[in-house]
Amino acid sequence: MSLWQRFRADTRANMAVLFAMGFAVSAMVSAVAVDAASLYHERRMIQNGVDLAALAAVSDPNAATALARDALVEAGLLPAGSSEGLAVTAGHYNPDPAIAPADRFTPGLAPFNAVAVRFGRPGALHFARGWAEPPTLGATAIASVTPQVSFSLGSRLASLDGGIANAVLNALLGTSVALTVLDYQSLLGARVDAFAFLDALAARLGVTAGSYDDLLALEADHGALAGALAGLLTGVERTAMLKLAGSAGQNGAVPLGKLFDLGAFGALTIGSGTGQGVFTAISALDLLAASAALGDGNRQVSLALTAGIPGLAGITASLAVGEPPQGGAWFAIGGMGTVVRTSQLRLRLVAEMAGSGALAGAPIRLPLYLELAEAEAMVGAATCPSGADASGSATILTRPGILRLTIGEVDAASFGDFNTTPTVGLAPLVEVKLLGITVLRVLASSLVEAAQTTPIPLGFSASDIAAGAVKTATTATMVSSLAGSLLNNLVLNVPILGLGLNLTSLTSLLKTILMPLTPTLDLTLARLLEAVGLSLGEADVTVYGVRCSHPVLVG
């Protein structure tokens, strides 16, 4: 037997040889497994760091690169001062579910509300580095933030004094308190934190637990509202509010959800929202006046006004305030699409004056009827605070209420019923009697309408918000003088003719008598509406702040 044959036939110690060979193979496999596990762990660490970098960068998209780099340095993924492998892009994220997830982020599109962070570096090999190149490990994250805008609609109180304001607010609040011009100015300038007010109101209502949304599901009378405000004020402001708190509460209750819509902040526990600062600092008088128009008590006001103008015997007015539509409060906090709305309003004004010329001695009675639909404001866009700005910026899409003003007699039974459309008939302007017999009866009608069909964008910069700027959207089709326009559109109906007058001369005579009084009528209409925070063909918006405190990962 040859040597080779004897070697092959000898089976002594073969297991040792096989074990040695298997150990070498398993060692190589184990080395690869350890490197693979290490790379997987390293990639997870990189992804976590990139996620944190995106969340940090979106807080200020204008400084996104620096913020992302600092976050990666802090996570130990980058050496200090280096940006190798890092790419940061600011853009706009649209959460519309109709858009494919991969297409929702648009790089470079303003307004910036999202940041994409990409980072890669070579992975670390421990056993395979002798025969393999280290792979590049990378991760991507997109973070978005929804700016939260706090804003309100319909403040017209800056120009109020006593008189009409006292009469209207007292009627709506169920009080009989005479506030001075100084009282109004003090209350208008007094700012209270919305959350501090709600905390004080919760204590008055005996609510000790739950969220702000739970509180907003309740009702409170005007006395409780004024009392909670008084507790947050000092000096002359507190004294003026205590006057109202002492006698208010006799005209129904206010559903608090019609005053406030806190958005995501509504889930906060009562007592934890205080400290938001200028973000929710609102006027005490604005809040109280808004509550007056939203109460569920009697919202009709009758006033007898003395104009003090020669030739004008007097003016009587009836004001009815309707509920705003569902889904919009007076003050709101929220992102794009958040809406605030004012109340609907009807106003009946009757002016009486003496005739002249051929109508000398004949009283002239001019009845005006006004319908003002609710105004609406919606957050159209917003950007987060950046740099030294304490607040961001916002664009509010505003639609003033549709206005319809007529000369005519309105049905008193349906005047305050906002579920029906009142019947407006011809108005008897002049009635001349001779020996108890009507010899001349002039019926009149006229109509002026103004509507803003497309929203008007109102831009609020950070400096506007810091200054407490109030911006006004004005209906583009608004006329300069409503009463004057009504008279220009005057249509007469004279079923009984007399005194030798024809329609042309009669129309001219009536315009000659009435036209000098139109500025007074316009002013009276405006002042009555101001007392409930509204205006003819206009809508006022105030933005209190923009915050971006809850960034989220979206990709």
Side-chain angles (χ1 to χ4, degrees):
M1 182 180 292
S2 66
L3 180 61
W4 172 246
Q5 289 176 328
R6 280 187 285 125
F7 176 76
R8 292 183 60 188
D10 188 355
T11 59
R12 292 173 297 178
N14 63 343
M15 291 303 297
V17 174
L18 292 173
F19 179 79
M21 294 176 62
F23 180 79
V25 173
S26 65
M28 293 179 62
V29 171
S30 298
V32 171
V34 168
D35 276 347
S38 175
L39 290 172
Y40 176 79
H41 176 71
E42 186 177 359
R43 190 190 180 288
R44 289 290 301 272
M45 295 295 293
I46 291 175
Q47 183 66 64
N48 290 340
V50 170
D51 289 346
L52 292 174
L55 291 171
V58 78
S59 65
D60 185 358
N62 294 318
T65 300
L67 293 173
R69 181 178 60 244
D70 293 345
L72 292 176
V73 169
E74 187 175 350
L77 299 176
L78 265 180
S82 173
S83 297
E84 185 178 355
L86 174 64
V88 180
T89 305
H92 185 80
Y93 179 79
N94 186 348
D96 187 350
I99 301 174
D103 299 329
R104 294 177 185 174
F105 176 72
T106 304
L109 179 64
F112 297 152
N113 70 344
V115 169
V117 177
R118 297 174 180 84
F119 175 69
R121 72 176 189 183
L125 293 178
H126 301 285
F127 296 101
R129 57 187 174 185
W131 69 82
E133 289 292 326
T136 298
L137 302 180
T140 300
I142 301 175
S144 176
V145 65
T146 300
Q148 298 290 304
V149 182
S150 61
F151 67 118
S152 68
L153 172 67
S155 173
R156 276 275 153 171
L157 301 176
S159 61
L160 290 185
D161 54 20
I164 293 177
N166 265 323
V168 173
L169 288 181
N170 275 319
L172 293 176
L173 293 173
T175 61
S176 57
V177 177
L179 296 180
T180 66
V181 176
L182 179 60
D183 289 333
Y184 279 110
Q185 292 174 344
S186 298
L187 289 176
L188 180 68
R191 293 289 188 269
V192 297
D193 181 85
F195 289 102
F197 164 74
L198 291 173
D199 292 340
L201 183 60
R204 283 186 166 267
L205 298 179
V207 179
T208 58
S211 67
Y212 288 108
D213 281 340
D214 295 329
L215 177 63
L216 296 182
L218 304 178
E219 296 182 345
D221 63 38
H222 297 105
L225 297 173
L229 286 170
L232 302 175
L233 302 175
T234 59
V236 293
E237 296 92 346
R238 176 182 174 85
T239 301
M241 191 60 71
L242 284 174
K243 291 180 184 178
L244 293 168
S247 60
Q250 308 303 315
N251 192 23
V254 180
L256 299 179
K258 294 181 180 179
L259 267 178
F260 294 94
D261 175 6
L262 300 179
F265 290 85
L268 295 176
T269 303
I270 293 173
S272 65
T274 305
Q276 299 297 327
V278 295
F279 179 57
T280 54
I282 56 183
S283 163
L285 186 55
D286 281 357
L287 194 160
L288 189 63
S291 74
L294 294 172
D296 60 5
N298 178 29
R299 287 181 294 200
Q300 294 191 47
V301 181
S302 296
L303 302 170
L305 309 175
T306 302
I309 296 178
L312 189 60
I315 299 177
T316 58
S318 298
L319 188 71
V321 182
E323 288 194 15
Q326 296 298 316
W330 162 75
F331 171 93
I333 302 175
M336 290 179 58
T338 303
V339 174
V340 292
R341 294 187 176 97
T342 64
S343 299
Q344 305 169 68
L345 187 133
R346 292 173 180 173
L347 175 62
R348 179 176 182 266
L349 192 71
V350 179
E352 296 180 350
M353 60 213 74
S356 61
L359 295 177
I364 298 176
R365 181 177 174 276
L366 179 64
L368 304 179
Y369 173 64
L370 170 73
E371 286 184 347
L372 190 63
E374 76 283 351
E376 178 182 284
M378 180 178 70
V379 178
T383 59
C384 297
S386 61
D389 291 332
S391 187
S393 62
T395 298
I396 308 297
L397 304 179
T398 310
R399 181 184 60 80
I402 297 172
L403 178 147
R404 185 171 184 267
L405 181 64
T406 65
I407 291 178
E409 288 286 2
V410 62
D411 177 33
S414 59
F415 174 69
D417 184 359
F418 284 82
N419 294 317
T420 64
T421 301
T423 301
V424 182
L426 293 174
L429 257 64
V430 182
E431 188 170 359
V432 178
K433 292 186 178 182
L434 185 60
L435 300 177
I437 300 175
T438 299
V439 296
L440 175 65
R441 191 166 187 262
V442 180
L443 303 179
S445 65
S446 185
L447 172 66
V448 171
E449 292 182 298
Q452 182 66 36
T453 55
T454 58
I456 299 170
L458 299 177
F460 289 81
S461 65
S463 57
D464 290 332
I465 296 171
V470 178
K471 295 198 173 184
T472 301
T474 303
T475 301
T477 56
M478 193 64 191
V479 292
S480 58
S481 170
L482 281 175
S485 298
L486 276 176
L487 294 179
N488 286 330
N489 297 337
L490 192 65
V491 176
L492 297 183
N493 185 324
V494 185
I496 303 177
L497 293 178
L499 304 181
L501 297 177
N502 59 45
L503 288 180
T504 302
S505 62
L506 185 58
T507 301
S508 177
L509 176 60
L510 284 171
K511 288 182 179 181
T512 301
I513 296 172
L514 296 175
M515 274 296 186
L517 301 175
T518 56
T520 300
L521 297 177
D522 285 334
L523 179 61
T524 303
L525 287 170
R527 296 304 300 278
L528 285 166
L529 296 179
E530 285 173 350
V532 289
L534 303 175
S535 181
L536 294 171
E538 295 181 347
D540 293 338
V541 177
T542 303
V543 174
Y544 303 98
V546 181
R547 289 285 178 87
C548 298
S549 55
H550 298 91
V552 294
L553 293 172
V554 294

